[in-house]
């Protein structure tokens, strides 16, 4: 069985002004493209799972990609974001946990909206 390295991070965001659903979607997709680009720097044909879940009020939606150059696929509808909890999960086949975490942490640091303290335990 092929092992996948994994990493997960959780963020709480509260934009200075409410973020329209279309803008929130753009931020999520830009972030997933950033993750994809960073993964491809190490493995141009990576395969795995990258998911960003957004929970805001009564709404939950997520976008995910599963391979290099994949377009994000969505489940659920994003509302206007006043405050939200973001959960990012990456599982990349053939990578170590530390390699995946390095890519994820670099992508989060590069995105000002998501560059918040981690809420994951441990």
């Amino acid at each position: 069985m092929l092992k996948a390295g994994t990493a997960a991070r959780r963020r709480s965001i509260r934009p200075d002004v409410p973020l329209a659903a279309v803008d929130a979607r753009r931020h999520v997709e830009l972030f997933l493209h950033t993750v994809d680009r960073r993964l491809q720097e190490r493995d141009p044909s990576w395969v795995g799972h990258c998911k960003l879940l957004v929970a805001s009020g009564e709404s939950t939606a997520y976008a995910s990609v599963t391979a290099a150059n994949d377009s994000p696929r969505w489940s659920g509808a994003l509302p206007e974001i006043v405050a939200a909890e973001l959960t990012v999960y990456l599982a990349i086949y053939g990578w170590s946990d530390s390699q995946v975490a390095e890519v994820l942490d670099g992508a989060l640091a590069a995105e000002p909206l998501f560059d918040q303290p981690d809420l994951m335990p441990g």
Side-chain angles (χ1 to χ4, degrees):
M1 176 180 244
L2 189 59
K3 181 187 176 331
T6 63
R9 303 291 184 262
R10 192 163 162 231
R11 302 288 191 258
S12 180
I13 64 165
R14 185 174 294 276
D16 294 335
V17 296
L19 193 59
V22 67
D23 293 329
R25 183 180 177 108
R26 186 177 47 81
H27 277 285
V28 168
E29 290 183 358
L30 177 64
F31 177 77
L32 289 174
H33 286 300
T34 297
V35 169
D36 178 34
R37 188 184 77 248
R38 287 173 177 261
L39 291 169
Q40 286 188 53
E41 289 172 2
R42 290 189 186 207
D43 181 358
S45 58
W46 68 267
V47 175
H49 193 79
C50 303
K51 178 192 238 180
L52 197 158
L53 178 116
V54 181
S56 180
E58 298 295 316
S59 298
T60 301
Y62 71 86
S64 65
V65 295
T66 58
N69 294 313
D70 202 3
S71 295
R73 286 178 296 285
W74 282 90
S75 178
L78 289 172
E80 177 181 76
I81 305 290
V82 174
E85 297 294 318
L86 308 175
T87 303
V88 185
Y89 175 76
L90 272 61
I92 308 301
Y93 293 109
W95 289 44
S96 69
D97 291 349
S98 63
Q99 289 172 317
V100 175
E102 181 181 327
V103 168
L104 177 54
D105 291 338
L108 286 166
E111 173 52 59
L113 180 64
F114 302 150
D115 188 16
Q116 305 294 325
D118 190 23
L119 301 176
M120 293 291 283

